[in-house]
């Protein structure tokens, strides 16, 4: 098996996918990487801030208190 040059999907830089890496990926049943090692690290990076849970405040809206139907003025 030979080294392979792949263009990163995210940053468009070329990177070398070595023969050793290719062998390990094949053994584990993984596909070839589409991102360079630097972009993979950024993508797989954990919480944004130290000590913050990764799922915290991701797209969740806070519920507002709704008025009961009896609170509206019926004219």
């Amino acid at each position: 098996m030979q080294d392979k040059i792949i263009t990163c999907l995210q940053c468009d830089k070329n990177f070398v996918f070595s023969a050793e890496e290719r062998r390990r990926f094949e053994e584990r049943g993984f596909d070839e990487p589409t991102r360079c090692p630097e972009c993979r690290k950024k993508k797989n990076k954990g919480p944004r801030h130290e000590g913050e849970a990764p799922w915290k405040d991701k797209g969740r809206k806070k519920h507002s208190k709704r008025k009961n139907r009896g609170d509206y003025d019926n004219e």
Side-chain angles (χ1 to χ4, degrees):
M1 206 176 283
Q2 296 178 349
D3 291 352
K4 185 173 183 179
I5 297 175
I6 300 175
T7 303
C8 178
L9 182 70
Q10 193 167 345
C11 69
D12 292 325
K13 293 180 184 176
N14 291 332
F15 66 97
V16 177
F17 187 43
S18 70
E20 179 63 27
E21 286 177 312
R22 289 177 73 185
R23 186 184 58 76
R24 277 189 272 134
F25 271 58
E26 277 186 17
E27 284 176 357
R28 295 179 180 150
F30 296 150
D31 294 331
E32 289 182 352
T34 54
R35 292 178 171 86
C36 65
E38 294 82 25
C39 290
R40 275 185 267 164
K41 284 179 188 176
K42 289 177 191 174
K43 181 180 181 291
N44 294 327
K45 190 176 181 180
R48 291 174 289 189
H49 302 288
E50 199 171 309
E52 181 181 334
W55 59 86
K56 185 177 179 182
D57 293 331
K58 277 198 172 180
R60 293 184 182 172
K61 293 183 180 179
K62 293 183 179 179
H63 295 284
S64 62
K65 292 183 181 179
R66 296 183 184 187
K67 293 183 178 181
N68 293 330
R69 289 185 184 201
D71 293 341
Y72 292 104
D73 292 331
N74 294 328
E75 293 183 18

